[in-house]
Each structure stands twice: as C-alpha cells, then as structure tokens.
Amino acid sequence: MSTIRLPAALVIVLFLPASSASGSYPRAQNVTWKSTNFKTILTWEPKPSADYSYTVEFFAVGGDKQRNPHCIRSSATVCDLSSSLTDLNAYYTADVLSEPPLGATSDLIEFPHTSSPRFCPYKDSEIGKPDFKLEVSEDKKKTTLYVTDPLTAVFKGGHQLNIRDIFSDKLQYMVTYRKNKSTGKKTHISKTNVIALTNLDRGESYCFNVQAYIPSRGTNKQWGELSQTQCSNDDNKSIFEVYSVGVIAAAIFLILLLIGLIITVTVVCCKRRKKALKSGKEGVPLRDV
C-alpha cells in the first residue's frame, strides 16, 4: 500500500489558518477564586492587549452556563461573581474565554478558554476577622468578650446577612489568650457570641484574639482570620508601664519647677519682712532718761 505524500508547502497552507486564529487570542492563565465573607472574585492573567478581550461564563455542576453582564468582552482580569452564585451550597466552575474586543468579529467558532477549579461558597469562602468588645467585672473575677459576627456579601429580602445567619449553630468562636508580655497561650472555644472567662489571675493584664471556627468544614477551611489583639488593664502596673519616659520626665520637671518657685517666693518674702522690721527699728526715736 502506497502512502500519499502532500507537498510541504500545501501542509503549511492547510494548517496555518487554524493556528493563526487560535494564536491571536491567548488563553487566560492562573484562573483563581478569591472569596472572603462570600465576597467572591474570579481573577486571572495576563492583562489583554487591544486585540482581544475576556468573557466569563460560570455554571453550577449540572446547571446551565451563565454570564455576568459586567464580565463580557472586558479588558479587566477580575470578575465579581458574589451576587451571581446564589446557591451557596452548589459547586461552581468558571470559564474565562479569550474573544475579540467589543465591536469586533472573528471567524472562530469556539474561542480559547481556561477553566477554574471547582468552588463551593459555603465550604470554600474564607471568613474574615471578627470584632469584639472586652469587659472585666468589678471584682476582677470574670472577663467577658462580646463578639460581633462579620457581615457577608449575601443579601436576603433586602437584609445583609452575617456569618451567623448563614452557618447558624455550626459557627463557633475560638479565643486565644495570654498574659500581657508573655508568650504562653491558652485557647477557649465557644458556641455563642458572649464568651465568659473565669480562670484568669485577678489583677493581671491579658491579651485576647478571636477567630471563627467551623468544624464541619474541611481542615484547611475551618479557621477564620484572627482578630486584632485587645488587652485588659493591669491593676499592678508600675508608673513606668502606665506612662512613657517623656511624660514622667515632664512631670518631674514641673514638680521641681514648682518647688523652686515656692522656695524662691519664700526667700523673697523673708528678705522683705526682715528689711521691713529693720527699717521700723531705725525709725523709732530714743526715749528720754
């Protein structure tokens, strides 16, 4: 059986159109989900040239493909899909298509695209750091933390939901605490937003951090971002811990200045009094014998 050989030039001509059409629209790279408190952004690279643009298509597993109107033939490399991923428990995949710029046409039937990893908002969105207030009882026996649930990008019936609205009783908080100026740490996990600690040394200053804890999630998604540190007051602080060196030096200077002023005024008054007494004696005439 003989093999049909085509001229090399003809082979190049046959394959050139498809290659050049696909090559004119580079595929997106590093397509990644970034999500905190259900504010979900799809990102990718590189920034497109003037010759092409990007369009984002997304779909839940088993669902139809959808498009966000703000992410069609755009030169941006981010797409906010927070309000589009309405089923928080669904698994989503997004495709970033490389297409001609807005207003231009192309002979391509299918455009190059890059798919994202699967993403489930309920299981994968990071939880941001919470705020909390610190309160120490008058008898110094109990320290209470009042934690505020972080707000999310999810709205329901015109109401903005917080993470407690979404996770319900699956949401817990972990408190990490230590004595001020100490490195030894202890932890306490609470199912409520009001956390009372009674095993602390009275009169000591303690520092606290709080973070969300969702044990039903995968291991690498159970912990939220750590809050800012807050410390209780120390009843046994020395004056050097309460006030800075500059403030103490200024206070000492003012005290010395006041003492010097008092001494000066006292000396001046004494001298004037002695002078007045001396003048009075010299002005008195001698008695006749």
Side-chain angles (χ1 to χ4, degrees), residues 62-84:
D64 297 329
K65 288 189 176 183
Q66 303 176 58
R67 290 187 173 188
N68 184 304
H70 301 290
C71 306
I72 297 175
R73 295 203 176 185
S74 168
S75 61
T77 55
V78 296
C79 180
D80 188 344
L81 295 174
S82 305
S83 60
S84 301

Side-chain angles (χ1 to χ4, degrees), residues 25-36:
Y25 303 129
R27 293 177 183 271
Q29 300 174 12
N30 300 326
V31 180
T32 308
W33 297 98
K34 294 183 179 180
S35 180
T36 301

Side-chain angles (χ1 to χ4, degrees), residues 17-266:
S19 175
S20 61
S22 176
S24 63
Y25 303 129
R27 293 177 183 271
Q29 300 174 12
N30 300 326
V31 180
T32 308
W33 297 98
K34 294 183 179 180
S35 180
T36 301
N37 294 340
F38 300 92
K39 176 75 172 177
T40 303
I41 310 293
L42 188 73
T43 68
W44 61 91
E45 298 173 339
K47 184 78 175 175
S49 67
D51 299 326
Y52 69 103
S53 63
Y54 292 118
T55 293
V56 173
E57 293 182 342
F58 64 95
F59 57 94
V61 174
D64 297 329
K65 288 189 176 183
Q66 303 176 58
R67 290 187 173 188
N68 184 304
H70 301 290
C71 306
I72 297 175
R73 295 203 176 185
S74 168
S75 61
T77 55
V78 296
C79 180
D80 188 344
L81 295 174
S82 305
S83 60
S84 301
L85 311 183
T86 53
D87 185 354
L88 301 181
N89 288 285
Y91 285 89
Y92 291 91
T93 300
D95 292 334
V96 180
L97 288 74
S98 301
E99 297 185 327
L102 196 63
T105 58
S106 172
D107 294 331
L108 289 177
I109 299 175
E110 291 187 6
F111 296 103
H113 72 275
T114 303
S115 298
S116 72
R118 288 205 309 174
F119 173 79
C120 175
Y122 188 86
K123 295 183 178 181
D124 295 326
S125 186
E126 303 285 348
I127 304 301
K129 57 186 176 183
D131 292 325
F132 68 96
K133 293 182 180 179
L134 196 61
E135 183 181 278
V136 180
S137 62
E138 291 184 5
D139 60 7
K140 313 297 181 184
K141 291 183 178 181
K142 182 174 69 173
T143 299
T144 306
L145 284 68
Y146 299 91
V147 184
T148 302
D149 297 316
L151 291 173
T152 72
V154 181
F155 287 81
K156 187 175 182 180
H159 171 66
Q160 187 175 10
L161 304 185
N162 59 42
I163 61 171
R164 177 71 69 183
D165 296 325
I166 293 174
F167 293 106
S168 189
D169 59 355
K170 292 183 179 180
L171 171 65
Q172 301 179 29
Y173 285 106
M174 188 177 79
V175 180
T176 303
Y177 62 97
R178 57 177 173 80
K179 285 185 178 181
N180 202 348
K181 299 181 181 177
S182 172
T183 56
K185 296 180 180 180
K186 294 184 178 181
T187 59
H188 176 84
I189 293 178
S190 172
K191 293 182 178 181
T192 67
N193 294 56
V194 180
I195 306 169
L197 301 173
T198 56
N199 60 337
L200 308 181
D201 294 338
R202 293 178 63 181
E204 290 283 349
S205 172
Y206 282 84
C207 295
F208 304 87
N209 293 100
V210 181
Q211 62 188 136
Y213 173 50
I214 308 171
S216 60
R217 281 181 154 196
T219 305
N220 63 332
K221 296 292 184 179
Q222 290 181 346
W223 303 100
E225 185 181 359
L226 207 62
S227 72
Q228 292 185 342
T229 302
Q230 292 191 44
C231 299
S232 61
N233 294 326
D234 187 353
D235 296 339
N236 300 319
K237 279 186 177 180
S238 68
I239 188 172
F240 296 100
E241 293 177 307
V242 177
Y243 301 103
S244 66
V245 176
V247 172
I248 295 173
I252 293 173
F253 175 77
L254 290 174
I255 291 172
L256 293 176
L257 185 63
L258 182 60
I259 292 173
L261 184 62
I262 292 172
I263 293 173
T264 302
V265 171
T266 302

Side-chain angles (χ1 to χ4, degrees), residues 5-21:
R5 297 181 178 274
L6 297 176
L10 180 58
V11 173
I12 294 175
V13 170
L14 288 174
F15 285 97
L16 183 58
S19 175
S20 61

